[in-house]
PDB file of all heavy atoms in Angstrom:
ATOM      1  N   VAL A 255       5.685 -31.376   2.763  1.00  0.00           N
ATOM      2  CA  VAL A 255       5.612 -32.249   1.585  1.00  0.00           C
ATOM      3  C   VAL A 255       4.926 -33.536   1.914  1.00  0.00           C
ATOM      4  O   VAL A 255       5.262 -34.224   2.906  1.00  0.00           O
ATOM      5  CB  VAL A 255       6.984 -32.503   0.986  1.00  0.00           C
ATOM      6  CG1 VAL A 255       6.875 -33.366  -0.291  1.00  0.00           C
ATOM      7  CG2 VAL A 255       7.764 -31.247   0.710  1.00  0.00           C
ATOM      8  N   ASP A 256       3.846 -33.848   1.188  1.00  0.00           N
ATOM      9  CA  ASP A 256       3.155 -35.103   1.389  1.00  0.00           C
ATOM     10  C   ASP A 256       2.655 -35.608   0.006  1.00  0.00           C
ATOM     11  O   ASP A 256       2.976 -34.979  -1.057  1.00  0.00           O
ATOM     12  CB  ASP A 256       1.983 -34.996   2.311  1.00  0.00           C
ATOM     13  CG  ASP A 256       1.030 -33.855   1.891  1.00  0.00           C
ATOM     14  OD1 ASP A 256       1.209 -33.300   0.736  1.00  0.00           O
ATOM     15  OD2 ASP A 256       0.115 -33.469   2.612  1.00  0.00           O
ATOM     16  N   GLY A 257       2.012 -36.735   0.033  1.00  0.00           N
ATOM     17  CA  GLY A 257       1.561 -37.323  -1.257  1.00  0.00           C
ATOM     18  C   GLY A 257       2.684 -37.636  -2.200  1.00  0.00           C
ATOM     19  O   GLY A 257       2.585 -37.528  -3.416  1.00  0.00           O
ATOM     20  N   MET A 258       3.870 -38.060  -1.610  1.00  0.00           N
ATOM     21  CA  MET A 258       5.035 -38.305  -2.420  1.00  0.00           C
ATOM     22  C   MET A 258       5.033 -39.697  -2.946  1.00  0.00           C
ATOM     23  O   MET A 258       4.696 -40.695  -2.224  1.00  0.00           O
ATOM     24  CB  MET A 258       6.202 -38.103  -1.506  1.00  0.00           C
ATOM     25  CG  MET A 258       7.581 -38.129  -2.216  1.00  0.00           C
ATOM     26  SD  MET A 258       8.893 -37.995  -1.036  1.00  0.00           S
ATOM     27  CE  MET A 258       8.438 -36.499  -0.194  1.00  0.00           C
ATOM     28  N   ARG A 259       5.423 -39.863  -4.170  1.00  0.00           N
ATOM     29  CA  ARG A 259       5.614 -41.232  -4.770  1.00  0.00           C
ATOM     30  C   ARG A 259       6.585 -41.243  -5.900  1.00  0.00           C
ATOM     31  O   ARG A 259       6.747 -40.206  -6.564  1.00  0.00           O
ATOM     32  CB  ARG A 259       4.263 -41.798  -5.196  1.00  0.00           C
ATOM     33  CG  ARG A 259       3.803 -41.265  -6.524  1.00  0.00           C
ATOM     34  CD  ARG A 259       2.422 -41.873  -6.948  1.00  0.00           C
ATOM     35  NE  ARG A 259       2.202 -41.781  -8.299  1.00  0.00           N
ATOM     36  CZ  ARG A 259       1.021 -42.206  -8.881  1.00  0.00           C
ATOM     37  NH1 ARG A 259       0.101 -42.685  -8.138  1.00  0.00           N
ATOM     38  NH2 ARG A 259       0.837 -42.100 -10.218  1.00  0.00           N
ATOM     39  N   LEU A 260       7.248 -42.386  -6.104  1.00  0.00           N
ATOM     40  CA  LEU A 260       8.204 -42.585  -7.191  1.00  0.00           C
ATOM     41  C   LEU A 260       7.654 -43.699  -8.059  1.00  0.00           C
ATOM     42  O   LEU A 260       7.343 -44.825  -7.595  1.00  0.00           O
ATOM     43  CB  LEU A 260       9.527 -42.907  -6.655  1.00  0.00           C
ATOM     44  CG  LEU A 260      10.174 -41.937  -5.638  1.00  0.00           C
ATOM     45  CD1 LEU A 260      11.480 -42.413  -5.131  1.00  0.00           C
ATOM     46  CD2 LEU A 260      10.347 -40.585  -6.339  1.00  0.00           C
ATOM     47  N   ASP A 261       7.529 -43.426  -9.364  1.00  0.00           N
ATOM     48  CA  ASP A 261       7.003 -44.419 -10.288  1.00  0.00           C
ATOM     49  C   ASP A 261       8.140 -45.082 -11.011  1.00  0.00           C
ATOM     50  O   ASP A 261       8.963 -44.431 -11.716  1.00  0.00           O
ATOM     51  CB  ASP A 261       6.030 -43.728 -11.300  1.00  0.00           C
ATOM     52  CG  ASP A 261       4.808 -43.216 -10.564  1.00  0.00           C
ATOM     53  OD1 ASP A 261       4.428 -43.826  -9.541  1.00  0.00           O
ATOM     54  OD2 ASP A 261       4.255 -42.176 -11.062  1.00  0.00           O
ATOM     55  N   ILE A 262       8.230 -46.402 -10.979  1.00  0.00           N
ATOM     56  CA  ILE A 262       9.229 -47.152 -11.727  1.00  0.00           C
ATOM     57  C   ILE A 262       8.540 -47.677 -12.978  1.00  0.00           C
ATOM     58  O   ILE A 262       8.007 -48.826 -12.986  1.00  0.00           O
ATOM     59  CB  ILE A 262       9.776 -48.327 -10.867  1.00  0.00           C
ATOM     60  CG1 ILE A 262      10.247 -47.857  -9.507  1.00  0.00           C
ATOM     61  CG2 ILE A 262      10.885 -49.091 -11.579  1.00  0.00           C
ATOM     62  CD1 ILE A 262      10.570 -48.981  -8.563  1.00  0.00           C
ATOM     63  N   GLY A 263       8.575 -46.902 -14.006  1.00  0.00           N
ATOM     64  CA  GLY A 263       7.854 -47.211 -15.232  1.00  0.00           C
ATOM     65  C   GLY A 263       6.377 -47.344 -14.922  1.00  0.00           C
ATOM     66  O   GLY A 263       5.807 -46.599 -14.140  1.00  0.00           O
ATOM     67  N   ASP A 264       5.748 -48.298 -15.531  1.00  0.00           N
ATOM     68  CA  ASP A 264       4.343 -48.614 -15.256  1.00  0.00           C
ATOM     69  C   ASP A 264       4.267 -49.921 -14.453  1.00  0.00           C
ATOM     70  O   ASP A 264       3.199 -50.599 -14.428  1.00  0.00           O
ATOM     71  CB  ASP A 264       3.539 -48.697 -16.543  1.00  0.00           C
ATOM     72  CG  ASP A 264       4.038 -49.810 -17.431  1.00  0.00           C
ATOM     73  OD1 ASP A 264       5.138 -50.295 -17.217  1.00  0.00           O
ATOM     74  OD2 ASP A 264       3.289 -50.170 -18.403  1.00  0.00           O
ATOM     75  N   LEU A 265       5.388 -50.334 -13.841  1.00  0.00           N
ATOM     76  CA  LEU A 265       5.417 -51.607 -13.138  1.00  0.00           C
ATOM     77  C   LEU A 265       5.094 -51.493 -11.669  1.00  0.00           C
ATOM     78  O   LEU A 265       4.280 -52.248 -11.108  1.00  0.00           O
ATOM     79  CB  LEU A 265       6.815 -52.258 -13.277  1.00  0.00           C
ATOM     80  CG  LEU A 265       7.017 -53.612 -12.594  1.00  0.00           C
ATOM     81  CD1 LEU A 265       6.082 -54.666 -13.148  1.00  0.00           C
ATOM     82  CD2 LEU A 265       8.489 -54.055 -12.823  1.00  0.00           C
ATOM     83  N   ALA A 266       5.677 -50.535 -10.931  1.00  0.00           N
ATOM     84  CA  ALA A 266       5.531 -50.385  -9.528  1.00  0.00           C
ATOM     85  C   ALA A 266       5.652 -48.920  -9.109  1.00  0.00           C
ATOM     86  O   ALA A 266       6.204 -48.095  -9.806  1.00  0.00           O
ATOM     87  CB  ALA A 266       6.551 -51.222  -8.747  1.00  0.00           C
ATOM     88  N   THR A 267       5.122 -48.649  -7.935  1.00  0.00           N
ATOM     89  CA  THR A 267       5.174 -47.309  -7.344  1.00  0.00           C
ATOM     90  C   THR A 267       5.707 -47.446  -5.957  1.00  0.00           C
ATOM     91  O   THR A 267       5.266 -48.251  -5.162  1.00  0.00           O
ATOM     92  CB  THR A 267       3.753 -46.690  -7.305  1.00  0.00           C
ATOM     93  OG1 THR A 267       3.257 -46.563  -8.566  1.00  0.00           O
ATOM     94  CG2 THR A 267       3.784 -45.361  -6.654  1.00  0.00           C
ATOM     95  N   TYR A 268       6.674 -46.562  -5.724  1.00  0.00           N
ATOM     96  CA  TYR A 268       7.341 -46.572  -4.341  1.00  0.00           C
ATOM     97  C   TYR A 268       6.961 -45.299  -3.572  1.00  0.00           C
ATOM     98  O   TYR A 268       7.138 -44.171  -4.104  1.00  0.00           O
ATOM     99  CB  TYR A 268       8.873 -46.629  -4.467  1.00  0.00           C
ATOM    100  CG  TYR A 268       9.631 -46.572  -3.192  1.00  0.00           C
ATOM    101  CD1 TYR A 268       9.584 -47.609  -2.296  1.00  0.00           C
ATOM    102  CD2 TYR A 268      10.315 -45.414  -2.840  1.00  0.00           C
ATOM    103  CE1 TYR A 268      10.241 -47.599  -1.131  1.00  0.00           C
ATOM    104  CE2 TYR A 268      10.981 -45.341  -1.623  1.00  0.00           C
ATOM    105  CZ  TYR A 268      10.926 -46.419  -0.758  1.00  0.00           C
ATOM    106  OH  TYR A 268      11.561 -46.349   0.419  1.00  0.00           O
ATOM    107  N   ARG A 269       6.446 -45.489  -2.409  1.00  0.00           N
ATOM    108  CA  ARG A 269       6.108 -44.420  -1.501  1.00  0.00           C
ATOM    109  C   ARG A 269       6.978 -44.511  -0.271  1.00  0.00           C
ATOM    110  O   ARG A 269       6.769 -45.472   0.498  1.00  0.00           O
ATOM    111  CB  ARG A 269       4.658 -44.484  -1.128  1.00  0.00           C
ATOM    112  CG  ARG A 269       3.647 -44.102  -2.227  1.00  0.00           C
ATOM    113  CD  ARG A 269       2.223 -44.160  -1.817  1.00  0.00           C
ATOM    114  NE  ARG A 269       1.287 -43.687  -2.789  1.00  0.00           N
ATOM    115  CZ  ARG A 269       0.773 -44.489  -3.729  1.00  0.00           C
ATOM    116  NH1 ARG A 269       0.998 -45.786  -3.682  1.00  0.00           N
ATOM    117  NH2 ARG A 269      -0.064 -44.055  -4.665  1.00  0.00           N
ATOM    118  N   PRO A 270       7.876 -43.606  -0.053  1.00  0.00           N
ATOM    119  CA  PRO A 270       8.776 -43.705   1.062  1.00  0.00           C
ATOM    120  C   PRO A 270       8.003 -43.480   2.337  1.00  0.00           C
ATOM    121  O   PRO A 270       7.081 -42.654   2.460  1.00  0.00           O
ATOM    122  CB  PRO A 270       9.808 -42.588   0.810  1.00  0.00           C
ATOM    123  CG  PRO A 270       9.106 -41.623  -0.098  1.00  0.00           C
ATOM    124  CD  PRO A 270       8.193 -42.368  -0.928  1.00  0.00           C
ATOM    125  N   GLY A 271       8.410 -44.164   3.435  1.00  0.00           N
ATOM    126  CA  GLY A 271       7.694 -44.063   4.682  1.00  0.00           C
ATOM    127  C   GLY A 271       7.467 -45.375   5.293  1.00  0.00           C
ATOM    128  O   GLY A 271       7.876 -46.527   4.804  1.00  0.00           O
TER     129      GLY A 271
END
Side-chain angles (χ1 to χ4, degrees):
V255 181
D256 54 8
M258 186 185 307
R259 79 179 200 183
L260 304 176
D261 295 330
I262 307 172
D264 61 347
L265 180 61
T267 298
Y268 176 73
R269 291 182 173 89

